Amino acid sequence: MAASSWLALATAGTGVVGTLGGAYLGGWLTNSRERSQWSREQDQRGREQREARYGDFLSLAEELRGLLERFWEAPGPVPDELSTELNAKLGDLRKQVGRIQVTESDALCHIAYDVLSSAAAAHDIAIDAHGAPAPSIITTNAFQSALRDLRRVCTEFRERARSALGTAP
């Protein structure tokens, strides 16, 4: 009789330990799966934010390039609205570079800064040239060179951003 009570007690203990162990293991597996899913969602959300940031930056740089070309080609006195818009876009580009510098790799930050430097150079040349009666060939070549450089570094930024995101060029 004593053996059967020990057997019953051992069986009950095994049942309790098995139930608790199963509940713990089930909870741990569920938690692990949820953490993995949350991590994947966070990675996807971060990727989408980076894609948007890169796209906004490149769109702004291209828009600024178009404004610079319009500013350069504007005959006579440049309308104040165009000059104001040009300065505002350059300021917006500076802010975008600041956002990129906070969150991205050094290589991408350097290229973003190169985009800003090229845009600022073209801007400065265009502003200075508009004060003159007619821009010299040297000034015109310098402006065209700055625009080509802006286009080149925008392409370089786009390629580097795609690489950072792991997408094909």
Side-chain angles (χ1 to χ4, degrees), residues 15-36:
V16 168
V17 169
T19 302
L20 290 177
Y24 175 79
L25 182 61
W28 181 81
L29 289 172
T30 300
N31 189 20
S32 176
R33 191 171 36 247
E34 286 177 357
R35 273 186 288 155
S36 295

Side-chain angles (χ1 to χ4, degrees), residues 3-56:
S4 68
S5 64
W6 280 107
L7 185 59
L9 191 57
T11 303
T14 303
V16 168
V17 169
T19 302
L20 290 177
Y24 175 79
L25 182 61
W28 181 81
L29 289 172
T30 300
N31 189 20
S32 176
R33 191 171 36 247
E34 286 177 357
R35 273 186 288 155
S36 295
Q37 181 179 354
W38 182 83
S39 179
R40 282 191 303 274
E41 288 171 359
Q42 288 296 102
D43 289 347
Q44 181 63 29
R45 196 170 304 125
R47 178 186 168 81
E48 289 168 359
Q49 289 172 347
R50 290 172 66 202
E51 284 176 351
R53 191 176 317 117
Y54 299 161
D56 291 347

Side-chain angles (χ1 to χ4, degrees), residues 116-153:
L116 176 61
S117 296
S118 297
H123 172 270
D124 293 347
I125 293 167
I127 295 292
D128 289 346
H130 249 285
S136 70
I137 191 72
I138 293 171
T139 304
T140 301
N141 287 343
F143 178 75
Q144 295 301 326
S145 177
L147 283 184
R148 278 191 305 275
D149 194 43
L150 177 57
R151 192 174 294 117
R152 179 189 59 76
V153 292

Side-chain angles (χ1 to χ4, degrees), residues 75-113:
V78 176
D80 287 340
E81 311 87 55
L82 182 57
S83 182
T84 301
E85 185 178 5
L86 184 62
N87 290 331
K89 293 292 180 193
L90 188 60
D92 291 345
L93 191 66
R94 281 190 179 98
K95 289 176 190 171
Q96 289 280 354
V97 169
R99 288 185 190 112
I100 288 171
Q101 287 178 331
V102 169
T103 59
E104 302 304 329
S105 69
D106 287 345
L108 204 55
C109 292
H110 288 298
I111 298 169
Y113 186 76

